[in-house]
Amino acid sequence: MSSQPPHSTLLIPGPVEFDDAVLQSMSHFSESHVGAPFVGVFGEALTMLRKLFQTSDPASQPFIISGSGTLGWDQVASNLTEPGEDALVLHTGYFGDSFADCFETYGVRATQLKAAIGDRPQLDEVEKALKERKYKVITVTHVDTSTGVLSELKNLSETVHRVSPETLVVVDGVCSVGCEEIRFDDWGIDVVLTASQKAIGCPAGLSILMASGRAIETFKNRKSRPSSYFGSWKNWLPVMQNYEAKKPSYFATPSPQLVRALHTTLTQILSKPLEDRYAAHAAASRKVKQAVADMGLKQIASKPENQANAMTAIYLPEGVKPTDVLPKLGQKGVVFAGGLHKEIATRYIRFGHMGVSVTDPDRTDIDHAIEALKSSL
Amino acid sequence: MSSQPPHSTLLIPGPVEFDDAVLQSMSHFSESHVGAPFVGVFGEALTMLRKLFQTSDPASQPFIISGSGTLGWDQVASNLTEPGEDALVLHTGYFGDSFADCFETYGVRATQLKAAIGDRPQLDEVEKALKERKYKVITVTHVDTSTGVLSELKNLSETVHRVSPETLVVVDGVCSVGCEEIRFDDWGIDVVLTASQKAIGCPAGLSILMASGRAIETFKNRKSRPSSYFGSWKNWLPVMQNYEAKKPSYFATPSPQLVRALHTTLTQILSKPLEDRYAAHAAASRKVKQAVADMGLKQIASKPENQANAMTAIYLPEGVKPTDVLPKLGQKGVVFAGGLHKEIATRYIRFGHMGVSVTDPDRTDIDHAIEALKSSL
């Protein structure tokens, strides 16, 4: 039995439902951010992130900073690129536009390679773009939360390394880390940025990032100073390295309660093989997508290979609006999200299937939500 | 009886001890950041901040953003000043240097007006500095957490308005909001930035800021775009205005649990006259400072008028180091902080007296800490 009071099941693509023990960690009594108990917990959380991202290269560097996932974009744009340099942004929805806007804020030229809605840029298009200009970084949204489009990372990274070996490969994994496989070392990724409140299963409020040794070297060789203060790795790098070595350190006060909750969920996640976790998410996703097809509905993500395991974005029947369906779902105790991609926002809804709703065998959240959707149309 | 497990009493200058109900709000079940219940809570928290800051001018604008107090500096430097402009930073300790570094990051020239350790810049020095150059903003650390030096705001603001009326008055209130009086409207302040984990009494993880109508106009009249993305008011202003109007809005996912905890503590704070809250902090501070004097110890803050009510920074007896005293205090269940001001860090300790340790009549934290300090020297 959950210790949480009865409430509607949150099945939006983040925040997700949280485990009881994680929520209990959020109410931990106050403690010093530089005292040994918290320093130990922070250090262990950083080390556990290495396992979650599947990196054993000691040069890889994890970061945990108070903020939302968006702060990860600032970290990339202000630490890895310099004013006047170029970024190639692969666009699969809303979050490509926003990441490009972030680069422009820091004086970096962002070139977007856009796919049709529901699709993703193809490797030959990426290769062509990389040959046309020298890009300091290429960014890809692993799962775009606005469309449910999944990007492929392994072959993409291979292509970048072959065609433009100096270009850093940056992955926006806000809606993928913890439910879609990411092999940081094997796939040659330089940055994965994410947030706490999705498949990692910790309340919102933490920007989480893994940087490769190559990314850290690029940062250290900057000609100009980092162009953000709060997001500056000059400020945070020694703090993260000290915390992981269990030494107190200070730049800005972290959130002990959020970091404890992160520690709890990472401990849970890593207590089982990651493969099982990915398989559970894939199975739940297949079930949802089959049910959606059985209802005669189409997904935004247009092909099986670009459909995320994290979520499903579903076109509503002609003439039906999210404002017709979401309240009916709400009456049945299920919370889905409306559309976010501006061009089609009034035509679709989003169903998130991440975290304990998928991995906890005692929960019937997904089956219940499928039934609720059927009876709400 | 507290529902928290027994633990050492945290009496550092932030984070502070938290109320049971506040910590319980931290473990609130997951909810949508754009759903009506959370939007209502967020909106009410914004409105309550107006009362806490004593501003009734509807043009004043509160902000609540995931991050630490430091993010408030980025908000000021990237939204209110533009590259090439000048900021005058009044220096009363560590945090003046850091705020200046933040301005320089965003291409703003920061001129520091430094006082001797334990003192604060005098009004005639401020007046002279303001006459020498055109400053877009002047910043003052209300209570510098590294020294316990209190700055005076009312006459300072009056001086700025008289000598350099276009200069915006920016207050770093990280260690003062909630325990030192701030009359935002009456004193003509343009920005107060703070964090959640000190006298406001909510766990760390929120950057809280109040901007005057004049500051918002200055922002709107910028020639260049805001120079931070995550801290950009272009992104956050419509979100804050929508939330306060109880309309869902999105830029980056807020932390529902932290905002609920903030709502709980603000409700508690505003249930009693603010004057009583300030008086309770002043009384506790007098008690601590008297006890320190009785022990033959001196404060870093050198004069009664520049000694904060939030905390006391205490010089140790000749030859005694923080590493001698802090472990003994720890054995008695009391957590103080070591020194932070580089030039004198090994010569002093810091005693924070904010929040429920001061305002909850059932707690004996302060008396116990005084006794523990006496017996640890």
Side-chain angles (χ1 to χ4, degrees):
Chain A
M1 271 296 285
S2 169
S3 61
Q4 299 172 48
H7 62 278
S8 292
T9 308
L10 191 62
L11 292 166
I12 64 176
V16 302
E17 287 286 314
F18 301 124
D19 182 77
D20 292 357
V22 173
L23 287 177
Q24 282 153 19
S25 296
M26 288 290 286
S27 61
H28 193 276
F29 59 78
S30 197
E31 62 188 327
S32 171
H33 52 300
V34 291
F38 176 67
V39 170
V41 165
F42 200 127
E44 287 173 13
L46 289 164
T47 300
M48 285 194 281
L49 286 178
R50 297 178 185 274
K51 291 183 184 159
L52 179 65
F53 287 84
Q54 304 195 50
T55 175
S56 57
D57 184 343
S60 297
Q61 181 59 52
F63 292 86
I64 302 169
I65 306 178
S66 281
S68 71
T70 302
L71 181 64
W73 298 344
D74 288 68
Q75 288 186 64
V76 169
S78 65
N79 291 299
L80 293 180
T81 50
E82 303 191 49
E85 292 181 336
D86 283 279
L88 180 61
V89 176
L90 305 190
H91 180 284
T92 50
Y94 177 92
F95 291 92
D97 290 326
S98 305
F99 204 164
D101 193 23
C102 178
F103 279 116
E104 299 281 351
T105 296
Y106 291 102
V108 177
R109 276 189 304 268
T111 302
Q112 289 206 56
L113 191 57
K114 292 199 183 194
I117 294 175
D119 208 347
R120 62 192 189 199
Q122 301 301 303
L123 287 182
D124 58 342
E125 298 170 311
V126 173
E127 180 161 350
K128 182 164 172 283
L130 288 171
K131 284 174 174 165
E132 282 169 359
R133 196 178 293 173
K134 184 179 163 69
Y135 289 102
K136 184 73 168 288
V137 298
I138 181 173
T139 75
V140 55
T141 315
H142 197 186
V143 173
D144 195 295
T145 315
S146 74
T147 57
V149 168
L150 175 74
S151 293
E152 191 282 331
L153 301 184
K154 182 171 179 284
N155 295 324
L156 173 69
S157 182
E158 189 276 327
T159 299
V160 178
H161 288 297
R162 177 172 52 78
V163 179
S164 180
E166 291 182 10
T167 302
L168 297 173
V169 178
V170 173
V171 176
D172 176 341
V174 169
C175 195
S176 76
V177 173
C179 67
E180 313 278 359
E181 178 156 56
I182 299 178
R183 296 188 162 277
F184 193 82
D185 288 356
D186 292 350
W187 297 350
I189 297 169
D190 290 297
V191 170
V192 178
L193 61 96
T194 190
S196 45
Q197 77 275 8
K198 304 202 182 192
I200 288 178
C202 168
L206 296 176
S207 167
I208 296 168
L209 186 146
M210 183 69 70
S212 69
R214 192 168 79 129
I216 296 296
E217 282 308 304
T218 300
F219 163 70
K220 287 182 174 170
N221 292 328
R222 288 179 67 90
K223 291 181 193 73
S224 56
R225 63 188 293 167
S227 46
S228 162
Y229 185 74
F230 183 59
S232 164
W233 290 354
K234 178 160 166 278
N235 294 324
W236 285 116
L237 186 58
V239 173
M240 296 299 147
Q241 291 177 339
N242 282 332
Y243 268 120
E244 202 171 359
K246 309 290 170 72
K247 289 187 284 192
S249 194
Y250 176 72
F251 162 60
T253 308
S255 181
Q257 283 76 9
L258 275 171
V259 173
R260 284 212 172 251
L262 177 65
H263 185 278
T264 299
T265 190
L266 290 175
T267 303
Q268 290 177 344
I269 289 173
L270 295 171
S271 70
K272 296 175 186 167
L274 282 175
E275 291 67 32
D276 294 359
R277 185 173 181 85
Y278 301 137
H281 281 86
S285 180
R286 275 193 304 272
K287 184 188 277 189
V288 169
K289 286 167 173 64
Q290 184 60 53
V292 164
D294 291 347
M295 287 179 232
L297 302 177
K298 287 198 167 132
Q299 297 177 50
I300 313 299
S302 53
K303 302 167 192 167
E305 67 267 25
N306 64 16
Q307 292 168 351
N309 291 315
M311 60 174 288
T312 308
I314 308 162
Y315 278 119
L316 293 169
E318 193 70 29
V320 179
K321 287 179 183 167
T323 46
D324 300 325
V325 178
L326 296 178
K328 288 185 193 167
L329 283 164
Q331 285 161 15
K332 299 179 179 81
V334 174
V335 183
F336 281 8
L340 185 59
H341 194 298
K342 279 176 194 159
E343 294 173 46
I344 52 171
T346 58
R347 293 173 49 203
Y348 77 108
I349 57 174
R350 294 174 297 149
F351 178 173
H353 27 82
M354 291 175 263
V356 290
S357 289
V358 169
T359 59
D360 183 344
D362 292 339
R363 283 183 176 253
T364 56
D365 299 354
I366 304 301
D367 292 330
H368 178 62
I370 288 172
E371 288 309 311
L373 178 59
K374 270 185 203 165
S375 60
S376 297
L377 287 170
Chain B
M1 268 296 285
S2 170
S3 60
Q4 300 173 47
H7 61 277
S8 291
T9 308
L10 191 61
L11 293 166
I12 64 177
V16 302
E17 287 287 314
F18 302 124
D19 182 77
D20 291 357
V22 172
L23 288 176
Q24 282 153 19
S25 297
M26 288 291 287
S27 61
H28 193 276
F29 60 77
S30 196
E31 62 186 327
S32 171
H33 53 299
V34 290
F38 176 66
V39 170
V41 165
F42 200 127
E44 287 173 14
L46 288 164
T47 301
M48 284 193 282
L49 285 178
R50 296 177 185 275
K51 291 182 185 158
L52 179 65
F53 287 84
Q54 305 196 50
T55 173
S56 57
D57 183 344
S60 298
Q61 180 59 52
F63 293 85
I64 302 170
I65 305 178
S66 281
S68 70
T70 302
L71 181 63
W73 297 343
D74 288 68
Q75 288 187 62
V76 168
S78 65
N79 291 298
L80 293 180
T81 50
E82 303 191 47
E85 291 182 337
D86 283 279
L88 180 62
V89 175
L90 304 190
H91 181 285
T92 50
Y94 177 90
F95 291 92
D97 290 325
S98 304
F99 204 165
D101 193 23
C102 179
F103 279 117
E104 299 282 351
T105 296
Y106 291 102
V108 177
R109 275 190 302 269
T111 302
Q112 289 206 55
L113 192 57
K114 294 199 182 194
I117 294 176
D119 207 347
R120 64 192 189 198
Q122 301 302 301
L123 287 182
D124 57 343
E125 298 169 310
V126 175
E127 179 160 349
K128 182 163 171 286
L130 287 171
K131 284 174 174 166
E132 283 169 358
R133 194 179 296 173
K134 183 179 163 68
Y135 289 103
K136 184 74 168 288
V137 298
I138 180 173
T139 75
V140 56
T141 315
H142 197 185
V143 173
D144 195 293
T145 315
S146 74
T147 56
V149 169
L150 175 75
S151 293
E152 191 282 331
L153 301 184
K154 182 170 179 284
N155 295 324
L156 173 68
S157 183
E158 189 277 326
T159 300
V160 178
H161 289 298
R162 176 172 52 77
V163 179
S164 181
E166 290 182 10
T167 302
L168 298 173
V169 178
V170 173
V171 176
D172 177 341
V174 169
C175 195
S176 76
V177 173
C179 67
E180 311 280 358
E181 178 154 58
I182 299 178
R183 297 187 162 275
F184 193 82
D185 288 355
D186 292 351
W187 296 350
I189 297 170
D190 290 297
V191 170
V192 178
L193 62 96
T194 189
S196 46
Q197 77 275 9
K198 303 200 182 191
I200 289 178
C202 168
L206 295 176
S207 166
I208 296 167
L209 186 146
M210 184 68 71
S212 69
R214 190 167 81 129
I216 296 297
E217 282 307 305
T218 300
F219 163 70
K220 288 182 174 170
N221 292 329
R222 288 179 68 89
K223 291 182 192 72
S224 56
R225 63 187 294 167
S227 46
S228 162
Y229 185 74
F230 183 60
S232 165
W233 290 354
K234 178 160 164 280
N235 295 324
W236 285 116
L237 186 57
V239 173
M240 295 300 147
Q241 291 177 339
N242 281 332
Y243 268 119
E244 201 170 0
K246 308 290 170 72
K247 289 187 285 192
S249 193
Y250 176 72
F251 162 59
T253 308
S255 183
Q257 283 77 9
L258 275 170
V259 174
R260 282 211 175 253
L262 177 65
H263 185 279
T264 300
T265 191
L266 289 175
T267 303
Q268 289 177 345
I269 289 173
L270 295 171
S271 70
K272 296 175 187 166
L274 282 174
E275 292 66 32
D276 294 359
R277 184 172 182 85
Y278 302 136
H281 280 87
S285 180
R286 276 195 303 273
K287 184 189 277 188
V288 170
K289 287 166 173 64
Q290 184 61 52
V292 165
D294 291 347
M295 288 178 235
L297 301 177
K298 286 197 168 132
Q299 297 177 51
I300 314 298
S302 54
K303 304 167 192 166
E305 67 268 24
N306 63 16
Q307 292 168 351
N309 292 313
M311 60 175 287
T312 308
I314 308 162
Y315 278 118
L316 293 169
E318 194 70 29
V320 179
K321 288 178 184 168
T323 46
D324 301 325
V325 178
L326 296 178
K328 288 186 194 167
L329 283 163
Q331 286 161 14
K332 299 179 179 84
V334 174
V335 183
F336 281 9
L340 184 59
H341 194 298
K342 279 176 196 160
E343 294 173 47
I344 53 172
T346 58
R347 293 174 50 206
Y348 76 108
I349 57 174
R350 294 174 298 149
F351 179 174
H353 27 81
M354 292 175 264
V356 289
S357 289
V358 169
T359 59
D360 182 345
D362 292 339
R363 283 183 176 253
T364 56
D365 299 354
I366 303 301
D367 291 331
H368 178 62
I370 289 171
E371 287 310 310
L373 178 60
K374 267 185 205 166
S375 60
S376 298
L377 286 170

